[in-house]
């Protein structure tokens, strides 16, 4: 509502309007907004669902209560993977999820979450905020009336949980594995069988031998899932998801109905979530990994170089084939690749030397 | 000003006040704030001074113009290293700089910027946002009436520019080097002579042989400084500053005079600067390094492991001695060390494997 219109409705006469007009910058009509947010995550899921609740609180603080957001966990209002559609249709004003779930909308979506042998969190952030990442993301979601914002990285994920040791690429042959998305296509290329399983059923399937292996996120979440009771070997790194990014989605009409300052508040609350999310994973994964090793006797193993190199070759083919499916995916992929070539590899000088010579080895002793 | 008082001053009669009172939540008196910000950086210094200008703009957007910040580069209003004192005294409401410049105020300050063999940007962020980092930082600055906020990392810095190759720790003996802070104490421990030189004089001193070596930031800034014209060998990694953090400082009284929503806006604009700063360094360092190598024929060399190990041993002693100087420094150091032990080393599993097996080698071909 415009200031003038509001004052009129509030019953202030012409004289009063004229009087306030003199000091106009100090009195403005402030519309309030009550929004709904849906997520893909179970209630109270550490970091992810917590991050959504925290986001809503932050928005309220930032806007002095002008925007209030009610948060619904996955399934409470729409199904966990109904987030994109709900935001697109305007059923809700916003949501949070991960872009690779929307490969069916456009294969390009996957590049904004995780690409096998793609970016870690820091390089994704550089691509999003210092490259064309955000622009391309907005462009990809525009046909769906969605404005996307980055919601933070999980950090480098762990690889898979296995019941046998993986010494060569051949060891993937015949393996029934729960691994979604592009990573799954790579495993299929290596001769594995991809079994799709909802989060809540992974543990049971692993325990009963319906699957031989699974991936999930990282120590913090994997510990909570109890996989250590059903699988012995915990491999790293998460070649399939080296720095998966979360997303916060806004219905275009809802976002654009906000005055500019509130749009900026929304954007900043997303950035705040972004920083907080990665910091939480970084701060908590170490202790969880230590618990898995010392308390639950999990064996932590790095994929042999030969296996990594084999997966990398397969990944290049899978990613290229995926990019070829759609012009937007091709465009995003080409930009991602160009950024990876110079910017991504800067880390092989700076960060690699840091991790090689400055960081001490993780305490692995059982 | 209170709403009621404002309306009275604005000449609105009792009837109008009563009328607006019905819709009170929507009309509030909004005080505006005109602030000054001082920085340590030269005008137009990429990323750092640009980041200050961007911060001010962001605050104005977020607050719908309720806070306006005028930015002064180093020396324009107060000397470059007068930022802390000016903010402390309330001469200006805010400033941006780097905490290791304030070792003289309290040695503890240094931990909030750079510790030799300390954290990179990602681990610093985890300590600040997911550990006790920010709390300890606030505690350290409280006696000076300053509220600190993180302003982003430079990423892993480069090591030093040398005119001769460094093959063993002995090669530091007799070397005249421009390197401030704790890193300088380490170099002195290795037998070097530390020469303190203002930023603007480093190049000339290096060219004339007043110094034999210097450190600065990273490719983006080092290219601009023209060091390649006076030194041939560009060593990495920046063991002395593995992820230097910038800071944004607020005078306590000024910050606390703001309503809660504007305090939140200020905090979020800092977080936004934090993300943007590291993303800019990450996005731009690679291309600058490539230019240094291909166009200016700089030789990029990794410090031999023996040299790194020697510097690491010396660093531990220097940092422990520094921590012993003051109870607050000791407290901060102990927390930093504990965080480094489990959380910092998580990167030796996750990120190290990423840089070892996923990231391609930087294009080094001349």
């Amino acid at each position: 509502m415009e200031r003038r219109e509001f004052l009129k409705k509030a019953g202030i006469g012409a004289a009063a309007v004229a009087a306030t007009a003199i000091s106009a910058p100090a009195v403005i009509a402030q519309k309030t907004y009550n929004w709904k947010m849906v997520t893909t995550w179970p209630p109270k899921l550490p970091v992810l669902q917590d991050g959504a609740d925290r986001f809503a609180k932050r928005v309220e603080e930032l806007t002095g209560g002008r925007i209030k957001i009610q948060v619904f966990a996955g399934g409470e209002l729409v199904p966990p993977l109904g987030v994109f559609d709900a935001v697109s249709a305007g059923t809700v004003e916003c949501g949070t999820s991960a872009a690779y779930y929307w490969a069916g909308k456009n294969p390009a979506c996957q590049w904004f979450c995780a690409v096998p042998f793609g970016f870690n969190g820091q390089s994704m952030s550089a691509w999003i905020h210092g490259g064309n990442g955000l622009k391309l993301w907005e462009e990809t979601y525009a046909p769906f009336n969605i404005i996307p914002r980055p919601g933070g990285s999980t950090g480098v994920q762990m690889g898979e949980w296995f019941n046998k040791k993986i010494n060569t690429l051949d060891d993937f042959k015949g393996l029934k594995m729960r691994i979604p998305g592009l990573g799954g296509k790579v495993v299929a290329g290596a001769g594995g069988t991809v079994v799709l399983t909802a989060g809540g059923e992974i543990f049971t399937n692993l325990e009963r031998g319906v699957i031989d292996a699974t991936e999930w996120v990282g120590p913090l979440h994997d510990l909570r899932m109890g996989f250590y009771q059903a699988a012995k070997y915990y491999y790293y790194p998460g070649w399939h998801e080296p720095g998966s990014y979360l997303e916060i989605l806004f219905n275009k009409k809802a976002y654009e109905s906000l005055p500019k300052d509130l749009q900026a508040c929304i954007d900043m609350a997303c950035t705040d979530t972004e920083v907080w999310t990665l910091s939480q994973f970084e701060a908590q994964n170490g202790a969880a990994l230590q618990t898995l090793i010392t308390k639950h006797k999990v064996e932590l193993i790095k994929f042999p170089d030969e296996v990594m190199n084999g997966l990398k070759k397969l990944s290049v083919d899978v990613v290229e084939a995926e990019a070829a499916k759609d012009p937007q995916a091709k465009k995003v992929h080409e930009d991602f690749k160009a950024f990876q070539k110079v910017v991504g590899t800067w880390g092989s000088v700076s960060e690699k030397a840091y991790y090689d010579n400055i960081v001490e080895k993780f305490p692995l002793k059982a």
Side-chain angles (χ1 to χ4, degrees), chain A residues 29-297:
Chain A
Q30 296 191 312
K31 194 173 165 184
T32 58
Y33 302 82
N34 288 295
W35 279 15
K36 288 187 180 69
M37 179 182 215
V38 290
T39 88
T40 293
W41 325 122
K44 297 192 189 302
L45 183 69
V47 191
L48 302 183
Q49 186 65 18
D50 291 354
D53 292 332
R54 196 177 164 279
F55 168 80
K57 217 175 127 188
R58 193 61 106 189
V59 167
E60 192 168 339
E61 274 171 21
L62 273 166
T63 62
R66 286 184 285 158
I67 305 181
K68 284 192 170 64
I69 300 179
Q70 195 184 356
V71 181
F72 298 87
E76 288 181 355
L77 196 64
V78 303
L81 297 185
V83 171
F84 192 94
D85 285 340
V87 175
S88 177
T91 315
V92 294
E93 290 80 7
C94 56
T96 178
S97 189
Y100 62 3
Y101 293 130
W102 326 127
K105 306 288 178 187
N106 188 318
C109 296
Q110 297 165 98
W111 274 259
F112 306 109
C113 177
V115 172
F117 292 88
F119 292 140
N120 68 347
Q122 184 160 304
S123 291
M124 265 300 276
S125 176
W127 184 52
I128 291 168
H129 297 282
N132 298 322
L134 184 56
K135 210 186 92 197
L136 290 165
W137 200 348
E138 288 176 333
E139 202 175 280
T140 304
Y141 282 28
F144 304 97
N145 296 313
I146 293 177
I147 293 176
R149 292 288 177 260
S153 169
T154 61
V156 181
Q157 297 204 359
M158 291 295 288
E160 289 78 31
W161 291 86
F162 293 97
N163 263 318
K164 64 168 195 176
K165 288 204 178 177
I166 300 295
N167 299 313
T168 70
L169 202 60
D170 278 347
D171 290 328
F172 278 87
K173 280 189 182 144
L175 220 56
K176 288 167 287 172
M177 193 187 301
R178 189 267 177 197
I179 176 169
L182 295 173
K185 291 185 180 177
V186 174
V187 166
T193 304
V194 174
V195 181
L196 289 183
T197 280
E201 291 160 18
I202 302 175
F203 174 76
T204 314
N205 285 345
L206 191 61
E207 205 182 23
R208 295 189 184 162
V210 178
I211 53 174
D212 306 307
T214 189
E215 65 81 52
W216 191 237
V217 183
L220 177 66
H221 285 87
D222 292 9
L223 170 61
R224 191 185 152 98
M225 293 287 272
F227 296 142
Y228 58 86
Q229 298 170 62
K232 267 183 170 172
Y233 306 115
Y234 197 20
Y235 274 77
Y236 72 97
W239 54 273
H240 61 307
E241 299 196 27
S244 306
Y245 242 69
L246 292 318
E247 63 182 8
I248 306 180
L249 307 178
F250 300 91
N251 175 269
K252 192 168 179 277
K253 209 174 139 190
Y255 184 92
E256 289 178 352
S257 75
L258 300 174
K260 291 285 172 206
D261 61 331
L262 295 194
Q263 287 180 3
C265 288
I266 286 281
D267 288 355
M268 291 306 92
C270 292
T271 306
D272 181 58
T273 305
E274 197 178 351
V275 170
W276 182 83
T277 297
L278 179 56
S279 295
Q280 291 304 310
F281 277 114
E282 285 299 297
Q284 297 185 53
N285 269 333
L289 182 59
Q290 193 63 17
T291 300
L292 284 167
I293 294 166
T294 53
K295 191 173 164 194
H296 301 303
K297 312 299 175 199

